[in-house]
Amino acid sequence: MALAPTRDRTTGRPPSPTPSRGFLSSTLGKKTVMAVSGLLMLGYLVAHVAGNLKVFFGPEEFNAYGHWLRVMGAPVLHHEWALWLVRIVLLAAVVAHAVSAYQLSRRDVRARPIAYVHRRKRSSYATRTMRWGGIILALFIVWHVLDLTTGTVHPGGFEEGKPYQNVVDTFSTWYGNVIYIVAMLAVGLHVRHGFWSAAQTLGVGSARRERLLRGLADTLALVLTAGFVSVPVAVMTGVVS
């Protein structure tokens, strides 16, 4: 005679044959998604700041770079196909990063319903501001696209195919400079903490490598922030005009 399956005492139902929710549903899985998507965005930031610095070589060089972005991959790919592929991958990385961060935050709140009375002494300023930094960057991305991609909120007469003049127009306004510089400072803090955290999640970090990884994180954050901020500063001071 067959034995009846054991039932859960709270629901009265047989236990699930697959109690594990899967790797991506686990805390480690979500941290891995954050790490991989964060590294993808970091790679984009490095390429983006390198392209931005071409503005110092004059309008012809910078406009030619903007044109190349739209024809890269030709003649195999059609006009802007490669650019749209980069945009789609980047958007997917941003969404995955943000969703995973939110889910981990909610999971952390449920695990500790009572807030800590004292902050941990070793938590850095970047660690404590990661959440707000992420919100600032999300809002900035929307503004940046509407300003220099679609021209919807561009302060001057937006000209398609003339990114040099569009950049000068944007950074000729006080609010354009404030928005951009604040966002780039948030990028620096985010990279500084996120790079080190990603290394720990992906198993690259160790006690012996901690000093090296933290040094790399600080260097990346400093170089990226300085590179991005140099553009509005150059427009404000007349170096780029």
Side-chain angles (χ1 to χ4, degrees):
M1 181 177 179
L3 296 176
T6 304
R7 294 179 176 269
D8 189 287
R9 293 182 178 180
T10 57
T11 64
R13 299 176 181 175
S16 172
T18 56
S20 175
R21 294 178 297 174
F23 177 71
L24 292 179
S25 298
S26 68
T27 297
L28 179 59
K30 294 184 185 303
K31 287 184 176 181
T32 301
V33 170
M34 282 195 69
V36 174
S37 59
L39 291 176
L40 281 173
M41 290 187 286
L42 179 59
Y44 169 79
L45 289 174
V46 171
H48 191 39
V49 75
N52 281 7
L53 294 177
K54 289 182 177 290
V55 77
F56 290 99
F57 296 95
E60 289 187 5
E61 177 119 3
F62 194 68
N63 289 340
Y65 165 67
H67 174 71
W68 173 80
L69 289 176
R70 285 161 174 74
V71 299
M72 60 180 174
V76 176
L77 300 178
H78 288 284
H79 185 72
E80 291 194 355
W81 277 21
L83 182 59
W84 273 105
L85 179 61
V86 171
R87 286 170 174 169
I88 291 170
V89 171
L90 184 61
L91 178 61
V94 170
V95 171
H97 198 78
V99 170
S100 296
Y102 175 77
Q103 291 173 337
L104 285 170
S105 176
R106 296 303 303 167
R107 185 169 293 182
D108 187 52
V109 169
R110 288 195 298 268
R112 314 185 268 103
I114 302 176
Y116 288 124
V117 176
H118 301 289
R119 295 173 184 257
R120 289 177 294 178
K121 292 182 180 180
R122 292 187 178 181
S123 62
S124 65
Y125 181 77
T127 303
R128 296 195 301 268
T129 56
M130 283 293 282
R131 182 180 303 173
W132 284 109
I135 294 173
I136 290 172
L137 292 178
L139 294 174
F140 168 74
I141 290 171
V142 174
W143 176 83
H144 196 52
V145 169
L146 293 176
D147 177 29
L148 292 175
T149 300
T150 66
T152 307
V153 298
H154 190 69
F158 182 80
E159 298 183 70
E160 185 70 35
K162 294 185 177 180
Y164 183 92
Q165 188 57 49
N166 294 333
V167 166
V168 171
D169 288 343
T170 290
F171 297 132
S172 295
T173 62
W174 67 267
Y175 60 86
N177 291 311
V178 170
I179 292 172
Y180 194 85
I181 291 174
V182 168
M184 293 308 102
L185 293 175
V187 164
L189 288 173
H190 220 74
V191 168
R192 181 176 180 269
H193 177 73
F195 179 81
W196 183 82
S197 296
Q200 303 302 311
T201 299
L202 297 176
V204 178
S206 66
R208 294 174 58 186
R209 298 174 186 162
E210 182 173 356
R211 187 173 181 179
L212 173 62
L213 289 172
R214 288 192 181 277
L216 283 174
D218 290 343
T219 301
L220 274 170
L222 180 62
V223 170
L224 285 173
T225 303
F228 281 121
V229 170
S230 67
V231 177
V233 170
V235 174
M236 284 190 288
T237 57
V239 174
V240 172
S241 62

